[in-house]
Structures are given as structure tokens and as C-alpha cells.
Amino acid sequence: MLHFVFAFRIMERWRAILAADAERRPDMPIDGKRKRLSPDGALGDSQADDAFIRDTCRRYLERHLARRRSVDRETLQFFFWVTRRDPRDVADILFEGIDAPRLGELRETLDEDADDPAIVAEAILEALKKTGALARARALRRLLGLLKDAPSRPDAKSALEAHLDRLKRRFGLNPAELRLITFLFIVESFGEAEDFLIDHLKCNRFRGRSELLSLLHIPPSELASALDRLNRLDVIDLSLDQVDLCDWFRNLLVLASPTPDEQRGFREIPAAEVPLASHGVGQETVRHLLRLLGKKRRQAVHVLLYGPPGSGKTSFARALLKELNDPAYEVLFREEATSRERRGALTSCLNMTNGGRGSVVLVDEADSLLNTESAWTLRGETQDKGWLNHLLEEPGTRVLWVTNHIDAIEESVLRRFAFSLEFRPLSRGGRIGMWHRLLRENRAASFFSAPEIDALSAAYPLSTGEIAAALQAARLSAGGSAAAFKKCLRLSLDACVRLKTNRGWRAPERTPGEEEYTTEGLNLDVEVELLRDRLRRFDEILRRGTAHPRSLNLLFTGPPGTGKTALARHLAAGLERDIHCRRYSDLQSKWVGEGERNVRDAFEEAQRAGAVLLVDEVDSMLTDRDLARHTWEITFVNEFLAQMDTFRGILICTTNRMKELDAAAIRRFTLTVRFDYLTAEGNLIFYRKLLAPLTRKPLDPAGVAALRRIGRLTPADFARVRDRYALGAASGPDPAAWIRELEAESRLKKEKSPKPAIGF
């Protein structure tokens, strides 16, 4: 009983799987039988396709009868479908001159059930059984004669034949492989052929291989070779006891009207959007790559370009291949293409272009082909590692692979690349240099000053290709006017940023007024210029790649609003580096272990991008472990400290609560910079910077004295008063009113943190 229940559940499970598959593929009903593909509309000229299919099946049937020398019901049914002959005419020919008992009954059956091939075939066979062996042999010869004398089909090729010829050239198919593909396509597309050749003769199974050899008229060695190669090409699914045509290849056969590129699966490398020299890759590296890929060799040469999206990999690859003398092609993939389709497109490209002096092939978005470790987890596909390794060792192949991630590529695959090149997102300094190059190439360098280029590089952290496209659009739209060019350029850049943001891209944070920021008036315990000098010297060490025992870890501590975060951003901009700002909400997680992983990722991303890592309000993350109440609080701090030890870059942390930091964390900071409330002179400086430009009324001596007396003011207080005025929530542009607002900000701090009483 238990066995029955278990079997029933398995059956129901498989039925559910078939139902789900039917929803994805309308041509497969739940009962598992493929819906028959009609040639009408799918392949073009239906009459020519139909004639080709029936003529091919006629040859199959002729070879089968010549080999078996016997006829059964299924054979007669298939004969009627192939020849389209009236069963009554066939019966007259078969029984001509034969004295068969009950021939009258046969004629009655044929008259009544002529539209039912099964009944007709059964009736003919029953009548033949009543005759002698010689009569049955004569009937078989007549049946073969009818097959041989079938009307010839039109000379013009059908659409299906044209598609087969195209795929023959594309994949380099030999006659045996082409015959096998044709056979599999017919039996999977036409029910009558499937009923006879598969269900009855079992030609697609191992036990039916002898029958398949006879039908295809090829020797066993050629069939074995065809099965092996088509299986490696992922054209067929070859199990232990069955062979079927893969869906992606079958779709190529029924593609209605492919474009020339779709027919081939690849195209010539398009013109480079950005010149090779504008990608920031060293000249020595470029020369090495050109020598590696410059000519076809006996060995395989594969190059891997990897890095995050938008780092210029594809643009560089196209520009590099355009410098070669040999033909260069790019494999085309549909966005939803399976790994099998991608492998087929690459194989066809190499097969059709790598003859003679050969070609160089670019495989963009190659993650799904190279990722052999987690293909099932990420995409629900099984990846053929053997196919990949075979391709990477194929003599004479030259392939440039572009991928975003290398984490899931196996070591055995990685070691087969002759060269690999990492691409990182352009730093702020890199973008400045790139802007200068691209503006010169677009004859627009005279339109922009150095500060304007610096501001563009900070405001638009885009890739080389994206900025080149924006410059090209501005040149086409603006004409020769500098003002119009700048306006059109901003429009294109803003549109690009919006598009990326809507797709989930996270733009680096920027502080309003960052371009006008100055350090004048800040109250620090370290000279800002000395801090800049130390950062510059460490930055030079990082850029030279000189070994260094640790990162430069800075701790900015002081009351809220004293300018800690703004100074960190200002220092990063001075180094021409981007800044990655992370807060507690970016790093901590409710899931066990995910917070530690977020910390590791934050440090690794900053190091890869060459960015300054700013951790704001670090006291919420590096709290004293002696005060921890949960183990995850301790492990989080441990991970943060471990990353501080191994990080190769510049780390700046800010805090208002230094006393709450873990003692081990404080020891790891190279330098601690203390920020304090503004001095009397600092009050005047920030008044002149933020408030004085909003009014024509000068600050009189009494106002100056009053402003100098106010304590506990920060740059943020002046910014808040300015912003309230801009929003209409503060008094008008009157210095006396602004001083009253600043005094209120100071009193608020005193109320929240009163001085301790003297005494016991």
C-alpha cells in the first residue's frame, strides 16, 4: 500500500511539472505529447516544406521495407500519410491478380471507413493474411514500387531546406549530422512521423539504433561521431537511452525571417565608440594584448576582461580588436538566451570565421558561459564544463571574453586564459583625465575650464562609453555654440543618470555646495594643510603600488555639525578619489552573518574602486564589546576590526561619542582629529560665507561683538539658519534677526548638555 501511495505521489508530481512546463512552452500539452508543428507560416512556403518532409519520410519508409521485408498496421498507416494515396486505390494495386478470400468484405470496409487509416490498414492486413506467401511478397514489392514511383517534388528548395543549409554552413555540419538533425526535427514536429518512427520503431532509443542507421543510410561510425559532436555542440540531448533535438536549435529551424546577423549568430565588430588610448589602460599592456591576439597560432589564445558593469570593458575590447589586421566578430546573444543558445552562437561564429588566417571573437556578457560553479543555483541551468575546457584548448582559437564577475569561475577554467585584465570604475581623477581626452577628441576642449571639468567629473560618475555617447549627442544637437553644447551635454548626462538610477544604480552621495567648500574657519586640533600633506603622501604610496603594512585610518571626532563629514568629502575630492559613504543602516542586518558580510563587501568595494571609505557615526558600529549583550554585536565589531587591519586604502570614520568606542578600535586609528565648536573668529568667517551674501545690510560693530560672544556654534548652525530663510521659515535678511536665531541654536545646545555643578 505504501508503495502505491509513493508511486501515486511521484506521478502527481511529474504531472505538475509537465503542467508548469506547458505554461512556459505552449507547444507541449500536459499529456506530454508535443503539439504537431504545422509548416504553415512557421517555415514559409508550406507546400514546398510539406513536399520535402513527405519525400524524406518516403525514403525512410522505402529503406525500412527493403530491410524488414514485412508490413504491419503501423507501416501501412505511415504509407498512407507519406504518399497521400486513397486507401481504396492502394488496395486495388496490392490485390490486383490475387484471389483473396473476403475481398468483397475488404472493399465494403474501405468504402465505409476510408477516412480512418488504422481501420483501413487493419482490414488490408487481414485480407493479406488469407493469401499465400507468394501473394504477400508480391504485395510488398508493389508497395515498394508505389514508393519509388511517387511523384517528384518541385525543384525549388523549401524554406526548411534553406534553413538546414544555413545551419549546415553555420555549424559546419557534415552529411551524417545533417541527416540526423533532419530526422529528429521531423519526428518532433509531425505526429504521424513520431507515431511510426519513434513510438513504433523506437529509432531514437539505443535499441533502435540499427533501424536508425538503416533509415539515415549511414555507417555506425558516422552515426557515433555525429551523436558525439552534436551532443558537444548542445544541438541534441543525449541520454543513456534516448536522443532528442534541443529546443534552442529547433527554434533556429523554425525562425520565420531571420536577419543576416540572426542567421549567423554574430556580426562584425562595430566601430569603436571611444578610441583605444582613452580607456586608461597602459600602453605596455595594450601592446602585449595586440601581440597576443595579432595572428592565428597553433595554440589557443583566450583573454579575460573582468570588472563591474560600466567600467569600460566592452568599449575597450571593441577598440582593441579594431586595431588588429585579422577579421574580428562579436557573438550575438538575446537577453533571455539560455547557455545552450550562447554556446551554439559562439560555436557557429568560430566555425564560420576561423578558417584560413582565422578571426578574433568577442564574447560579451560571458558570465553564463564561464560560470560553471553556480549555474544551477543562479539560473537553474546545468553548465557543460567539458565543452568549455575543450573550447579553451581548441588550437587556433582567439577569443576575448568579457565578464562582470569571476567569483564563480572555477580555477581549472581561469588557468586556461593567456592573459586577464581587471577593469575598475574610474576614480574621480581618472574621470578628470578621461573628460580632457574626450573633449579634445570632440573638439570641445575650449568650451570648458579646468574647474568646470572637475565639477563634471564629480557630478557624473559615469563610464567612458556613457560620457562619450553624451558628448556625441551634444555635438550633433548643439552645433558650434559653447553655451548650447554645455546645455545639451547636461541634458544627455542627466538623462543617463536617471536611466541608471531607475534600474537600481546607486550614485555616489554628494554634499550640496561641495564645489565651493573651504576649510577656513573650522576648529580642529590639527592643521588642515598638514592633514592634506599626510593624505597626499599616503595616496602616492597607494598609486605606486608600494607595499605598505596597513591602511591610513583616520578618526574624526567632535560635536555634531562641526564639519567632520564635509571635511572627509573635501579631502577625498582633493585626492581625486571618489568617496564611498556607509552608515549603520547600510552595514547592519537582521540576518545572522549578513552584517559581517556587508562590512567585508564595503571595504572590498572601496579598495577595488580606489575610493576613500567614509563610515559615518562609527560609534553605532564599533561599540565597546564589554558592553555587548548579544554575540552578533561582538562578531560584527570583530569583522570590522579585521577589515581595518587588511584594508589597503584610506578609511575615515566619524563619531560624536568617542568614549563609547571599543578600545581595540581606537588603537587601530592612525590619526585622531578632534573637531570643536567654532571660535569667535570662526563665527565671523561662517557668517560671511553663508549669511552675508543673502543681505545688503552690513554687520555693524555691535552685531560683530554679539556674534563673537555666541558660543557652541557649528557650521551646521549657520547652514540651518540660511536654509530656514530660503524656505521662508526665518526672519528676512536682517543681521540682527539672524544673530537672534544663532543665539537660539546655541542655547539649545546648552540646555541639552548643561555644565556639571561644582561641589559635592
Side-chain angles (χ1 to χ4, degrees), residues 476-489:
L476 294 173
S477 176
S481 166
F485 186 91
K486 291 180 179 180
K487 182 178 180 180
C488 293
L489 178 61

Side-chain angles (χ1 to χ4, degrees), residues 294-434:
K295 67 176 183 178
K296 185 176 181 179
R297 307 171 191 273
R298 291 182 179 179
Q299 305 87 357
V301 177
H302 294 267
V303 173
L304 178 66
L305 308 183
Y306 64 96
S311 52
K313 305 181 297 295
T314 302
S315 176
F316 171 79
R318 289 172 176 169
L320 179 75
L321 296 185
K322 278 296 184 181
E323 295 291 319
L324 300 175
N325 293 323
D326 288 346
Y329 299 93
E330 180 176 2
V331 179
L332 298 178
F333 299 140
R334 295 181 299 112
E335 186 174 349
E336 66 277 11
T338 64
S339 295
R340 281 178 165 172
E341 291 178 273
R342 293 168 184 261
R343 291 197 293 267
L346 175 55
T347 301
S348 67
C349 178
L350 289 171
N351 181 74
M352 296 181 69
T353 66
N354 205 31
R357 64 176 185 174
S359 65
V360 189
V361 177
L362 169 62
V363 184
D364 198 6
E365 303 293 342
D367 300 69
S368 63
L369 291 177
L370 297 177
N371 177 356
T372 57
E373 283 194 338
S374 52
W376 176 258
T377 305
L378 297 178
R379 301 185 304 277
E381 296 181 329
T382 55
Q383 187 63 285
D384 191 345
K385 180 180 171 182
W387 172 89
L388 181 59
N389 288 340
H390 181 272
L391 175 67
L392 292 173
E393 295 174 351
E394 186 72 26
T397 56
R398 288 174 287 171
V399 182
L400 198 59
W401 303 78
V402 176
T403 181
N404 296 327
H405 307 285
I406 61 172
D407 300 344
I409 302 177
E410 294 188 47
E411 183 64 31
S412 61
V413 174
L414 288 174
R415 67 169 177 260
R416 287 176 164 84
F417 288 99
F419 189 77
S420 60
L421 180 61
E422 180 185 10
F423 282 74
R424 298 179 178 179
L426 287 174
S427 66
R428 187 165 177 172
R431 288 197 301 275
I432 291 173
M434 180 264 297

Side-chain angles (χ1 to χ4, degrees), residues 511 513-520 522 532 562-571 675 686 689:
T511 302
E514 186 177 324
E515 294 84 356
E516 298 82 20
Y517 179 87
T518 65
T519 60
E520 186 185 11
L522 292 179
R532 281 201 191 100
T562 49
K564 301 182 293 296
T565 301
L567 180 60
R569 294 180 183 277
H570 175 72
L571 293 172
F675 290 65
F686 274 89
K689 287 199 296 187

Side-chain angles (χ1 to χ4, degrees), residues 183-184 187 193-204:
F183 172 83
L184 293 175
V187 298
E194 181 184 23
D195 291 341
F196 179 65
L197 300 172
I198 301 301
D199 296 342
H200 183 53
L201 298 184
K202 313 294 183 187
C203 287
N204 70 331

